[in-house]
Amino acid sequence: MKNIAVLGSTGSIGVQTLDVIEHSKNMRVTALTANKNTAKLEDQIRRFSPDIAVLYDSEAARDLKTRVADTKTRVLSGEEGLCDAAAYEKNDTVVEAVSGSVGIKPAIAAIRKNVRLALANKEAMVCAGDIINEKVQKEGAEIVPIDSEHSAVFQCLQNNRDRLKKIILTASGGPFFGKTKAELSAITPAEALRHPNWDMGAKITIDCATLVNKGLELIEAIRLFGVSANQIEVLVHRQSIIHSMVEFVDNSVIAQIGMPDMRIPISYALTYPDRTENPSSSIDFTKLAPLTFEKPDMKTFYGLQLAFDAINAGGTMPTAYNGANEAAVDLFLKEKITFLQIPELIEYAMHKHKVVLNPDLESIINTDTEARQSVYERI
Ligand code: NDP
Ligand code: MG
């Protein structure tokens, strides 16, 4: 039996992870965590009988404790609870699928000897990638990515990492591919939440519409695979069938292909280096639309360009990029700012930020807070 903790179990990745676990006969859930979705977490506790359940929100956690008093599950709350679930001694694998930079500390807590961090949360790697990598090395832990592009690169690289020439990160282009700035000015949250290929949480769906998601993934790839920004090419591939590719020094390219179903990379992260059946469906090549590739429009969707700027500035600048984006997306979803203000506010916060090189965790957390404050001040 493989013992698995699922952080962010009530979200899009969390639910799909539980689907994969339920399908498998040799995986057991040790811990489940969420923010405040009491009803869904209660349902998951009854289905999976974890030892620990955590709600970040303390009031919701109190309510959950009463609701599941008849079970053996221990209910915890807050950041401390999340970190306790991540560092629980019975875990073999920790699936980190909370959304946002709140995932930094649990990711670090999870990295213990012989623990696998199956990482969906990209914000932790963007903000604190160097610290996480250092701890992984020190503790002998391992990271297997869940983000589909990074899972693709991970699968394509295998034993040829030192012969890698470049990574080709594919992007769906989001729902507004081909639109001009004028056309984007009146986009509503409801329109931006309609992604053509993937069904995901609200925050990442907006990030896909602005192309900031690809910016975060660019930084995530740099941290995960130890490449430089100029070794990464972003290509818009509308069909989301090729999940990313690697080109080696001999100009041979290897791509990972599959239906746009996150249960494939989730399953791989749980079973690597093995593979097992999972609830996803097989690809029918005869039914596919022609596969196309285009350069992204980084002038209109300059949230992606800002990620290149952030990585070039180095130090805490990617953290500022991420923190400002999280605040701006939240404001957009609450209809407090327009769609085009999202990159404007990120740019403003980055402009204001004074980079700290080789930051420790405290500088990273401070940068995250400051970048959010810069956004709130500006509106
Ligand atoms: P969702 O918004 O669907 O789910 C987020 C999960 O995190 C929920 O369980 C939520 O709990 C929990 N959560 C949110 N805020 C907090 C908090 N402050 N403290 C503790 N828990 C919290 O997100 P997704 O599943 O779509 O994405 C999760 C991560 O995976 C993101 O980093 C995203 O970028 C990444 N990812 C997602 C993909 C996808 O297909 N969805 C693809 C690739 C990467 P509650 O339900 O109570 O709010
Ligand atoms: Mg992705």
Side-chain angles (χ1 to χ4, degrees):
M1 276 288 166
K2 211 174 268 177
N3 289 311
I4 301 170
V6 185
L7 313 185
S9 63
T10 53
S12 156
I13 294 288
V15 165
Q16 293 179 85
T17 301
L18 293 178
D19 197 16
V20 170
I21 292 174
E22 211 160 37
H23 193 86
S24 134
K25 294 286 165 265
N26 62 354
M27 296 181 195
R28 186 189 158 256
V29 174
T30 52
L32 294 171
T33 83
N35 183 18
K36 51 172 123 176
N37 194 337
T38 319
K40 202 160 179 177
L41 194 59
E42 179 185 354
D43 174 58
Q44 293 179 343
I45 290 169
R46 297 199 182 279
R47 268 168 60 210
F48 294 94
S49 309
D51 298 341
I52 301 174
V54 185
L55 280 174
Y56 187 82
D57 185 279
S58 55
E59 212 169 293
R62 267 196 298 277
D63 179 26
L64 181 70
K65 207 169 184 169
T66 318
R67 288 188 190 215
V68 298
D70 60 316
T71 70
K72 288 194 178 135
T73 302
R74 191 153 49 101
V75 177
L76 307 174
S77 72
E79 187 178 83
E80 211 182 306
L82 276 186
C83 292
D84 285 350
Y88 182 44
E89 63 199 11
K90 285 195 187 156
N91 296 340
D92 299 312
T93 296
V94 177
V95 176
E96 157 74 294
V98 304
S99 176
S101 61
V102 68
I104 297 174
K105 286 188 182 164
I108 292 174
I111 300 164
R112 304 169 74 231
K113 249 191 168 45
N114 300 323
V115 167
R116 169 175 300 175
L117 183 60
L119 190 61
N121 173 289
K122 57 194 83 184
E123 295 90 348
M125 217 51 196
V126 169
C127 296
D130 290 339
I131 294 176
I132 292 173
N133 282 334
E134 203 184 291
K135 295 221 184 288
V136 165
Q137 290 282 323
K138 197 168 148 219
E139 304 291 344
E142 68 175 341
I143 298 182
V144 182
I146 285 180
D147 207 347
S148 60
E149 295 77 3
H150 306 78
S151 173
V153 171
F154 186 87
Q155 295 182 56
C156 293
L157 276 176
Q158 292 305 330
N159 296 323
N160 277 313
R161 277 192 187 210
D162 55 340
R163 294 287 177 265
L164 174 69
K165 186 157 93 180
K166 71 173 181 188
I167 289 173
I168 300 153
L169 273 190
T170 51
S172 73
F176 309 130
F177 177 72
K179 289 211 186 300
T180 61
K181 267 198 187 165
E183 288 170 320
L184 293 177
S185 61
I187 292 294
T188 63
E191 288 168 312
L193 284 170
R194 251 177 261 134
H195 193 280
N197 304 342
W198 298 95
D199 184 12
M200 307 174 288
K203 190 260 175 184
I204 183 177
T205 308
I206 302 301
D207 289 348
C208 286
T210 57
L211 288 203
V212 167
N213 182 53
K214 214 44 58 179
L216 296 171
E217 291 184 352
L218 167 91
I219 303 170
E220 186 187 6
I222 290 169
R223 311 280 207 225
L224 283 171
F225 304 112
V227 294
S228 61
N230 54 23
Q231 279 180 287
I232 301 183
E233 181 180 6
V234 176
L235 280 184
V236 175
H237 164 53
R238 298 291 286 152
Q239 301 76 30
S240 298
I241 290 297
I242 295 184
H243 299 299
S244 278
M245 306 182 249
V246 299
E247 185 176 327
F248 293 103
V249 288
D250 61 355
N251 298 326
S252 177
V253 175
I254 298 187
Q256 189 263 333
I257 300 177
M259 294 304 284
D261 185 331
M262 287 306 295
R263 291 172 302 183
I264 300 174
I266 291 168
S267 167
Y268 187 73
L270 296 181
T271 61
Y272 164 80
D274 198 4
R275 293 179 185 271
T276 57
E277 284 107 12
N278 60 56
S280 67
S281 55
S282 163
I283 196 164
D284 182 347
F285 284 94
T286 64
K287 294 209 171 105
L288 290 183
L291 303 185
T292 58
F293 304 93
E294 290 158 80
K295 286 210 175 301
D297 173 1
M298 290 212 275
K299 285 214 165 70
T300 306
F301 297 91
Y302 69 104
L304 174 56
Q305 177 59 52
L306 292 173
F308 280 95
D309 299 346
I311 204 77
N312 287 334
T316 44
M317 195 57 97
T319 311
Y321 171 79
N322 179 73
N325 178 59
E326 284 193 35
V329 169
D330 188 46
L331 290 168
F332 173 67
L333 285 169
K334 290 176 176 150
E335 300 189 40
K336 300 247 165 68
I337 62 166
T338 66
F339 185 73
L340 288 176
Q341 275 179 289
I342 298 174
E344 278 169 29
L345 288 165
I346 301 173
E347 189 173 31
Y348 172 76
M350 283 171 64
H351 189 70
K352 259 193 89 184
H353 179 60
K354 302 236 171 343
V355 173
V356 179
L357 294 173
N358 304 314
D360 56 12
L361 190 57
E362 199 185 337
S363 304
I364 286 168
I365 303 291
N366 289 342
T367 302
D368 182 59
T369 310
E370 277 168 26
R372 288 164 197 265
Q373 276 164 359
S374 297
V375 167
Y376 297 131
E377 268 164 37
R378 183 74 169 175
I379 60 160

